[in-house]
Each structure stands twice: as structure tokens, then as C-alpha cells.
Amino acid sequence: LAKTTQPISMDSYEGQEVNITCSHNNIATNDYITWYQQFPSQGPRFIIQGYKTKVTNEVASLFIPADRKSSTLSLPRVSLSDTAVYYCLVGGINNDMRFGAGTRLTVKP
Amino acid sequence: ETGVTQSPTHLIKTRGQQVTLRCSSQSGHNTVSWYQQALGQGPQFIFQYYREEENGRGNFPPRFSGLQFPNYSSELNVNALELDDSALYLCASSLKTGTGQEKLFFGSGTQLSVL
């Protein structure tokens, strides 16, 4: 299983774009990259998943360089409600979904 | 709203007792995973069930056991409870399709306190 490394915490202000980078140097050929968001006392919620290049949905974008050894979750124009812990997971078919410590994002007014 | 429901929401037990936690999967999903989350930490993988068979296990002792039923609902059983078992227990359902990394849909969890 690929090990992931993320910053422990980040601060931002309302309206700013936030980029959270995850390192996964030993990612395997068949591995995908998935990001989850978790609020206190709730289960994690799926945000976005990608394999290479760029993926965008209604809430975020995911940028994956050609070597796939890292990925960046981009949250456009964050609000106070985006304050949460964000987890990066790397794995493929039938891999255990193992979470790291995540990045605690605090959005300030 | 993920469609994954867990019961009970809160539970208080004493050391040495046994506990059973329950999870109803999202409709159409065939896989259930269980996680333990201590305060301030990321969810720790306990095990996964796929079509009623255990399909992977994390670093948890045998006193943590589980079941998946034909309707894909699931139970997590913990015997001989210890104080360190106090945590939020999360259930996630997913659909294994044979391609890509499956997306997990989590319930809100069961908060277990062991006194």
C-alpha cells in the first residue's frame, strides 16, 4: 500500500483558494488517488478521485502530475463551512482503504 | 446523506463486556468496511467484508470480529472490552466493480465509551 504524507494543518481565509498537497512516492501503476473530507463527529465524505492529470467536480479539483508521486486537492473560494479534516488515500482494486492523519484545514473569517 | 445507517449512535460499556455494533449498507452496495477512530486521529481500518466473506483486515486483535449478512448489512463485535477501545466506530459501504478504487460511503458512526 502506498504511504501518503500530508501537512498536519493549514489556515486560510474565506474566499481564498486552498491547495492541499499529498505526497505518495511509491504509488503503484494501478493505484487511484481519492480525497475525503471529515467534519467532527461525522464519517468521512468522498470529495474527488483521479488517476492522472486533472479532475474537476462541483466542489473541488484534483491535480496529478505526470509522475503521479504527488497530488493536490484544490478548493476554490473556501467558506467557514469548509473547515474540516481532509484525507488523501492511495490504492487500487481490492486495496484496503487506509487513512493517514489527514490535514486539518481552518478557514477564518 | 449517504444512506448508510449505524446503530446505536452512542453506547457506554464497562471493561470486560462485549458489544455489537450494527450497520445498514447503502442500497446496491456489496462491501462493508469498519473503522475505529480515536479522538484527533484518522480512521484506522479494522476489516472489510465482501459478499459475506472477510476481505482484508487491519492490525486489530481477534476479539474484534464481524459478520456481513445476505442483505449486505453488517455487525462489528468486540469482546473483552478494554479502556482503549473507546472511540468512534465507523462503517462504510461501497460497491466493488473490478475497476478503479472503490468510493466509500460512511455512516455517522457509533461513539463507544468503555468505563
Side-chain angles (χ1 to χ4, degrees), chain A residues 5-13 18-22 35-42 44 47 73 75 78-88 100-108, chain B residues 37-43 88:
Chain A
T5 303
Q6 303 175 233
I8 293 174
S9 64
M10 294 181 68
D11 289 342
S12 183
Y13 291 91
V18 170
N19 296 308
I20 306 174
T21 297
C22 179
W35 285 79
Y36 288 84
Q37 174 194 56
Q38 186 178 26
F39 298 112
S41 300
Q42 294 185 26
I47 300 175
L73 174 72
L75 305 172
V78 294
S79 64
L80 296 177
S81 63
D82 293 315
T83 293
V85 179
Y86 292 82
Y87 297 96
C88 162
T103 297
R104 186 172 302 274
L105 172 66
T106 302
V107 180
K108 302 175 181 179
Chain B
Q37 186 171 27
L39 194 62
Q41 298 183 20
L88 180 68

Side-chain angles (χ1 to χ4, degrees), chain A residues 41-62:
Chain A
S41 300
Q42 294 185 26
R45 182 176 73 105
F46 171 87
I47 300 175
I48 197 166
Q49 182 181 90
Y51 181 78
K52 61 180 180 180
T53 62
K54 177 184 174 182
V55 179
T56 298
N57 62 22
E58 63 277 8
V59 298
S61 295
L62 179 59

